[in-house]
Amino acid sequence: MENQLTHEVSAFIDFRNYKFQDSRSHGYRWVDIKHLRIPAESGDAQELLAALIGHEQFRDDYAGGGVVPEGLRHGPYWLRLVTSDVYEAISREKSAQIVRGWVKQFGDVPCRLEVSLQREVFDRLAAADHIYYLSGLGDEAIHDWGRVHEDFHDFVLIDRSAGRMTLLVVADD
């Protein structure tokens, strides 16, 4: 199914583009969103997750290099250790709670950023049929320079009515 996933569009929300009252409150924080079209006759969630992991858009170290089609890393992790079974199904509420906690860990965010996050992140979490969260990876999964990320949260949203799968990464370094 890997070749049946079609990358549609990506979005990037860079917290540095917004003015915070407290300069400590943003560091280098960002949200990366990749939308992929799923086939109408797609398999179950595990098959979709496996297809996503096999897709070139998943080969991104999120450290400035972008997608590397032959890459060996996904965020801070060795790609070979990321499998569909390390993603856990979580609720819309839990996923929003994780993201909101990360967003607000240093206090309130500017209104313009809140509007962007609502449209690009929270509305998509609310619309997803299923949400999966990358978890269960231990220290042995961290690649040679993977600790550049202080926080790294990886969600996969499946919205069958829209025919879309979204890879949502919120992180900082």
Side-chain angles (χ1 to χ4, degrees), residues 10 57 67 69 161-162 166:
S10 294
Q57 289 296 314
V67 172
S161 65
T166 299

Side-chain angles (χ1 to χ4, degrees), residues 3-163:
N3 57 1
Q4 294 178 353
L5 296 179
T6 307
H7 178 246
E8 291 183 314
V9 67
S10 294
F12 188 77
I13 301 172
D14 188 343
F15 280 39
R16 292 186 301 180
N17 293 336
Y18 300 90
K19 182 162 176 57
F20 286 79
Q21 289 183 335
D22 181 352
S23 62
R24 297 177 303 118
S25 63
H26 67 88
Y28 187 45
R29 302 174 72 210
W30 43 264
V31 176
D32 188 275
I33 305 158
K34 295 178 174 122
H35 300 291
L36 295 101
R37 174 78 39 208
I38 58 177
E41 299 299 319
S42 59
D44 66 13
Q46 289 301 308
E47 289 178 29
L48 286 172
L49 287 167
L52 174 64
I53 292 166
H55 197 279
E56 74 176 21
Q57 289 296 314
F58 198 78
R59 291 169 172 78
D60 192 331
D61 58 31
Y62 298 98
V67 172
V68 179
E70 287 80 35
L72 303 173
R73 296 170 179 89
H74 173 71
Y77 306 114
W78 289 112
L79 181 63
R80 71 181 185 279
L81 299 175
V82 180
T83 60
S84 60
D85 62 338
V86 296
Y87 277 89
E88 72 174 277
I90 64 171
S91 68
R92 293 179 184 112
E93 296 78 17
K94 179 66 175 172
S95 60
Q97 178 185 11
I98 292 168
V99 175
R100 181 74 57 204
W102 175 82
V103 165
K104 297 217 175 213
Q105 66 184 311
F106 300 112
D108 292 334
V109 298
C111 271
R112 280 186 34 240
L113 176 55
E114 186 66 44
V115 167
S116 291
L117 291 169
Q118 184 63 47
R119 180 184 63 248
E120 297 295 334
V121 177
F122 296 107
D123 288 352
R124 295 182 193 288
L125 290 171
D129 299 321
H130 301 284
I131 302 171
Y132 295 87
Y133 184 58
L134 183 60
S135 62
L137 293 174
D139 285 343
E140 68 278 357
I142 307 270
H143 64 70
D144 47 350
W145 49 266
R147 297 208 189 277
V148 68
H149 298 287
E150 291 188 30
D151 285 314
F152 184 85
H153 300 284
D154 173 323
F155 300 88
V156 175
L157 291 58
I158 298 174
D159 184 346
R160 289 192 185 270
S161 65

